Amino acid sequence: MSEKVALITGGASGIGEASARMFAAQGWRVAVLDRDADRGEALAAEIAGTKFFDCDVADIAAIDAAVEAVQGEWGRIDAAVCSAGILETPTTIMDMDPVAHDRLWQVNYNGTVHTCRAVGRIMERQGSGAIITLGSINSYVALPLPAYCPSKTAILRLTEMLAVELGRFGVRVNGVAPTYVLTPALKARIQSGERDGDIVRGANALGMWVEPHHVASVIGFLSSDAAAAVSGVMLPVDAAHLPNAQYRGFAGGVPWEE
């Protein structure tokens, strides 16, 4: 077992769970932070070197306590993955639910910034570390998700700012920007009819399902020494979703579909 320690918010499912499995497979000690104690405890019991910490990232005091507990357990934090987040059903700004809007910001953005602050203080003292935020294709384009889309745009800018502010301490800050990922949350929306699975899969140029382990592998790279010179980057993991949308939106039409 390596002395390296990875902390993962939202680590009990989806991209967070895939990241926990990826780090554990590489011999890291893994702290899974989540508010789903049943899934978190089960994952920790399954994977060697993994420990669960109960944490709702919408609560800044809970974040600080959990991060402090992780440091108390293993004495350091080498990588932090801010993957806790919630989704949103498409709507307009005029029709959105203000309460749901504010809750999403509390989890997606506030949870990210406060986790970065708590972990960043530890990494400053260490003189090393890698923080990985979870952006989205929504970080780059306007989509009818009035809370989710702006929150992911804010995370992009937050990632760039932190890369500058923490760089002088030897801490790297990057993000991943996934397309639709076949997580349990997305599967539930497809099964309920809220999302069309064929449209979701066909939105990227490769016509594939992007799964949590695809994103986790990129997180692993950004956390590794192989990415020693990479900081301030929000890296799309989207099977060319972004260029596909632009290309196919060309007013002159797509050549091979004429």
Side-chain angles (χ1 to χ4, degrees):
M1 187 67 65
S2 167
E3 293 303 315
K4 289 187 175 182
V5 177
L7 177 151
I8 306 169
T9 67
S13 66
I15 293 171
E17 178 184 349
S19 297
R21 293 182 183 280
M22 176 273 300
F23 280 115
Q26 294 179 7
W28 289 50
R29 301 183 187 278
V30 181
V32 171
L33 277 60
D34 207 290
R35 64 176 186 163
D36 188 336
D38 290 340
R39 288 183 63 92
E41 293 285 8
L43 187 65
E46 176 188 348
I47 304 174
T50 301
K51 186 174 177 64
F52 172 71
F53 297 82
D54 196 343
C55 179
D56 180 352
V57 297
D59 181 347
I60 185 173
I63 294 173
D64 288 341
V67 170
E68 182 179 347
V70 173
Q71 185 188 31
E73 181 75 21
W74 289 309
R76 60 185 299 111
I77 299 174
D78 298 283
V81 182
C82 305
S83 65
I86 53 180
L87 300 179
E88 180 179 27
T89 300
T91 185
T92 68
I93 294 173
M94 296 298 105
D95 294 332
M96 71 182 184
D97 178 349
V99 174
H101 171 277
D102 292 354
R103 171 63 181 172
L104 188 145
W105 270 85
Q106 289 169 1
V107 175
N108 289 16
Y109 181 76
N110 292 353
T112 296
V113 70
H114 293 313
T115 299
C116 289
R117 278 164 49 85
V119 171
R121 294 187 188 103
I122 293 171
M123 292 181 175
E124 282 182 3
R125 295 193 294 269
Q126 290 176 179
S128 64
I131 296 174
I132 314 298
T133 63
L134 260 291
S136 167
I137 54 171
N138 290 261
S139 299
Y140 296 100
V141 295
L143 296 173
L145 301 166
Y148 189 88
C149 186
S151 77
K152 293 300 185 178
T153 303
I155 288 172
L156 166 60
R157 294 292 171 247
L158 173 69
T159 301
E160 294 171 334
M161 292 167 64
L162 285 169
V164 177
E165 294 183 8
L166 295 178
R168 66 188 188 276
F169 300 105
V171 179
R172 296 183 298 105
V173 185
N174 293 291
V176 289
T179 182
Y180 303 100
V181 178
L182 199 58
T183 61
L186 179 58
K187 288 179 181 178
R189 277 170 162 73
I190 292 172
Q191 290 169 357
S192 70
E194 290 183 46
R195 297 287 173 89
D196 186 315
D198 291 336
I199 292 175
V200 170
R201 186 178 59 183
N204 63 68
L206 296 179
M208 63 177 284
W209 284 114
V210 176
E211 299 188 37
H213 70 87
H214 294 130
V215 184
S217 66
V218 177
I219 290 171
F221 163 70
L222 292 173
S223 303
S224 73
D225 292 340
V230 181
S231 195
V233 170
M234 180 66 73
L235 182 58
V237 187
D238 69 344
H241 179 129
L242 289 169
N244 188 57
Q246 293 296 317
Y247 192 103
R248 289 182 174 276
F250 175 55
V254 178
W256 63 82
E257 293 180 351
E258 292 179 350

